[in-house]
């Protein structure tokens, strides 16, 4: 059994593809960015806080994902106008998606970062408005979901783990847990 410390339906769907017995618990974590904190530091810290907020005897898995462009951290947009602003920032440019992962099991804690570089097409205002109008970008870091019907047309190129962009680097999680014998195949 794995306890997923997350409120993300995307993370739940991904983890269920490889582990059938899961429990989902919403973590108790203040997700504010600290002054002077980098995107990498933030996702590592928040994944640890989320994992530590859940006390279980089984494996606890927590993650935090953010988008960074030109040193600016893009979390979830506050409203549709903020989503438009973020998508305009990303238009035609490369950015990095960082996911911090924390896996707790017994006395062991694994904490790592996965990063993926993503390039957007040049987006026109009509496409941005149509995507934001769906409401889909409002609960996602960087205001987009690469796996969604309109979100998938924004991305020109991905260098790295596709599932990291969705919100959970599932392959790396599998291998990190397997080499520590946290589960049986």
């Amino acid at each position: 059994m794995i306890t997923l410390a997350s409120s993300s339906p995307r993370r739940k769907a991904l983890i269920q593809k490889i582990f059938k017995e899961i429990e989902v618990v919403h973590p108790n974590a203040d997700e504010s960015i600290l002054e002077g904190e980098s995107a990498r530091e933030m996702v590592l810290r928040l994944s640890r806080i989320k994992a530590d907020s859940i006390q279980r005897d089984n494996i606890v898995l927590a993650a935090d994902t953010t988008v960074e462009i030109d040193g600016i951290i893009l979390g979830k947009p506050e409203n549709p106008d903020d989503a438009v602003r973020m998508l305009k920032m990303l238009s035609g440019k490369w950015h990095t998606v960082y996911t911090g992962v924390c896996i707790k099991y017994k006395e062991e804690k694994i904490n790592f970062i996965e990063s993926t570089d993503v390039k957007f097409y040049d987006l026109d205002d009509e496409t941005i408005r149509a995507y934001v109008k769906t409401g889909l970008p409002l609960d996602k870091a960087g205001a987009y979901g690469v796996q969604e019907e309109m979100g998938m047309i924004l991305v020109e190129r991905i260098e790295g783990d596709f599932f990291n962009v969705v919100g959970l680097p599932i392959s790396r999680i599998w291998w990190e847990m397997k080499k520590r014998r946290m589960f049986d195949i």
Side-chain angles (χ1 to χ4, degrees):
M1 163 90 74
I2 292 181
T3 299
L4 177 63
S6 178
S7 54
S8 167
R10 292 162 299 283
R11 288 194 183 112
K12 178 183 177 189
L14 285 173
I15 199 71
Q16 283 181 314
K17 296 212 183 278
I18 59 170
F19 296 106
K20 300 304 174 200
E21 293 186 41
I22 70 161
E23 167 193 34
V24 177
V25 178
H26 300 286
N28 182 16
D30 175 2
E31 297 189 35
S32 303
I33 301 169
L34 301 179
E35 179 91 24
E37 187 174 44
S38 71
R40 296 176 65 86
E41 292 166 337
M42 182 189 80
V43 295
L44 268 181
R45 177 181 60 82
L46 290 177
S47 67
R48 280 192 303 264
I49 289 170
K50 290 176 182 181
D52 289 342
S53 76
I54 308 297
Q55 301 304 315
R56 295 289 190 279
D57 292 331
N58 56 295
I59 297 167
V60 175
L61 170 65
D64 190 75
T65 301
T66 198
V67 170
E68 181 183 55
I69 183 167
D70 300 328
I72 300 167
I73 297 172
L74 302 181
K76 295 174 186 171
E78 295 177 12
N79 54 47
D81 289 340
D82 197 29
V84 168
R85 177 189 66 82
M86 289 182 187
L87 292 167
K88 285 183 176 189
M89 284 179 70
L90 298 172
S91 178
K93 296 180 185 166
W94 283 95
H95 62 276
T96 303
V97 177
Y98 293 104
T99 300
V101 175
C102 187
I103 306 165
K104 273 190 342 181
Y105 184 56
K106 298 181 180 176
E107 301 302 315
E108 187 165 12
K109 190 182 288 185
I110 306 163
N111 203 197
F112 64 86
I113 296 171
E114 190 68 34
S115 64
T116 304
D117 293 323
V118 179
K119 184 175 190 290
F120 266 27
Y121 282 101
D122 286 318
L123 307 177
D124 55 64
D125 288 347
E126 181 182 31
T127 301
I128 291 172
R129 281 192 308 275
Y131 181 47
V132 171
K133 189 176 178 179
T134 68
L136 294 170
L138 299 180
D139 70 337
K140 292 164 193 71
Y144 76 96
V146 69
Q147 73 284 358
E148 297 170 338
E149 49 278 351
M150 278 200 75
M152 62 182 63
I153 67 167
L154 308 177
V155 175
E156 180 178 339
R157 185 173 184 87
I158 294 176
E159 292 185 4
D161 184 340
F162 169 82
F163 294 106
N164 184 53
V165 182
V166 178
L168 199 63
I170 198 69
S171 299
R172 175 128 182 235
I173 289 167
W174 168 273
W175 290 107
E176 293 287 346
M177 291 171 59
K178 184 176 185 308
K179 74 181 170 186
R180 291 168 176 85
R181 302 194 178 281
M182 292 183 171
F183 61 87
D184 295 319
I185 295 179

